[in-house]
Amino acid sequence: MTLMGSALAQSTGETVNPSLPPVAAKTEAGTVSTYAWAGTWFSDHYLGGYLGAMKSLNATGDLWTDGFVLRGDVSGGSYRYDSTGFVNVRVGTLDSDVMLGYRKNVGKGAFSAYVGPSYAFHHNPDPAAALRGDEFGAKFLAEYSGSLAQNLEGSLQGSYRTTFSTYSLTGRLLYRVSDSAWIGPQATLFGNDSPFRESTFGGVLKINTKFGEIGVSGGYRHVYTSGNSDGYFASAYLGIPFP
């Protein structure tokens, strides 16, 4: 198999993490200085998990006051692919970043933008693989989350990291169906320099609890890159605010 063929096959395993709401509204959760989350993401080619947190750096110590924010993300898992001489290869992967950002309240929501160093690693024995070894670089992320109307909220998140030229865009729209439950559609676009590009389309259920937020999602994966097949995805996460 050529280098291009190997790269196309292996790229199916890359992960597309769903966007997460930054924090619950101040009127619901009180002052929030730190927000942490953990989740899992899996598809017919990938299984992994992720952790993250953001912390207010402003004088009030409140994420719902305009100011600088420190954010960190770590994700890891494994994916599989076939190529000449490497059948059903299982590749371990790790992504991490630490970013400094600024958070601005806009209406009934908040807009945030971040930048910082990024690291990515693909433990792959295939010497022809495009995603192989480790790379250091930078990551850029911007997001908005907030209320759009009564009982309706939306979020949009976009990111790009120079490590393996990886980008993603995620949007979702949720409608409140009870005092604590929200439901609605979610869509993502993801790509890297293997080259590879895919989208996911599905639904999200979010439940607010006394200790934080629980969410589950799932749906269909469509792969635009030739040589790869469509499939499914599913995910679950927990987000916890801290005073």
Side-chain angles (χ1 to χ4, degrees):
M1 182 177 289
T2 64
L3 173 62
M4 179 63 73
S6 175
L8 291 175
Q10 84 158 53
S11 60
T12 57
E14 272 285 357
T15 174
V16 187
N17 288 338
S19 66
L20 294 174
V23 289
K26 186 174 181 180
T27 55
E28 298 176 7
T31 299
V32 176
S33 67
T34 304
Y35 188 72
W37 57 87
T40 181
W41 176 277
F42 61 93
S43 69
D44 38 345
H45 291 282
Y46 176 87
L47 174 62
Y50 56 92
L51 300 168
M54 59 174 66
K55 181 175 178 57
S56 172
L57 300 180
N58 60 46
T60 65
D62 186 1
L63 284 169
W64 280 89
T65 300
D66 296 354
F68 288 98
V69 178
L70 182 66
R71 173 173 177 151
D73 301 276
V74 178
S75 65
S78 64
Y79 59 88
R80 61 179 175 81
Y81 73 99
D82 296 330
S83 70
T84 302
F86 293 89
V87 179
N88 197 27
V89 175
R90 180 63 66 174
V91 179
T93 182
L94 175 69
D95 295 294
S96 62
D97 59 71
V98 177
M99 297 179 290
L100 179 66
Y102 190 85
R103 185 173 166 83
K104 173 71 175 178
N105 291 297
V106 181
K108 295 183 179 180
F111 174 80
S112 305
Y114 304 88
V115 62
S118 174
Y119 170 78
F121 177 68
H122 291 260
H123 187 262
N124 194 333
D126 184 355
L131 306 183
R132 184 171 186 265
D134 58 0
E135 285 191 5
F136 292 90
K139 181 176 180 179
F140 308 87
L141 185 150
E143 62 184 2
Y144 172 82
S145 180
S147 175
L148 303 178
Q150 185 177 8
N151 298 324
L152 188 67
E153 69 173 31
S155 65
L156 183 65
Q157 182 188 83
S159 70
Y160 174 78
R161 52 183 169 88
T162 60
T163 51
F164 301 107
S165 300
T166 305
Y167 62 87
S168 69
L169 180 66
T170 302
R172 71 184 189 183
L173 189 66
L174 299 180
Y175 181 77
R176 177 179 286 199
V177 294
S178 71
D179 289 342
S180 60
W182 301 71
I183 192 169
Q186 173 178 287
T188 70
L189 175 65
F190 175 86
N192 58 38
D193 66 357
S194 52
F196 177 74
R197 187 165 63 96
E198 74 171 21
S199 290
T200 65
F201 309 90
V204 180
L205 171 63
K206 183 185 82 168
I207 299 176
N208 294 325
T209 70
K210 292 182 179 180
F211 60 84
E213 179 181 302
I214 298 172
V216 293
S217 65
Y220 178 71
R221 292 173 60 247
H222 174 64
V223 183
Y224 300 95
T225 311
S226 62
N228 294 276
S229 59
D230 293 353
Y232 69 90
F233 80 94
S235 70
Y237 72 84
L238 170 66
I240 302 177
F242 297 92

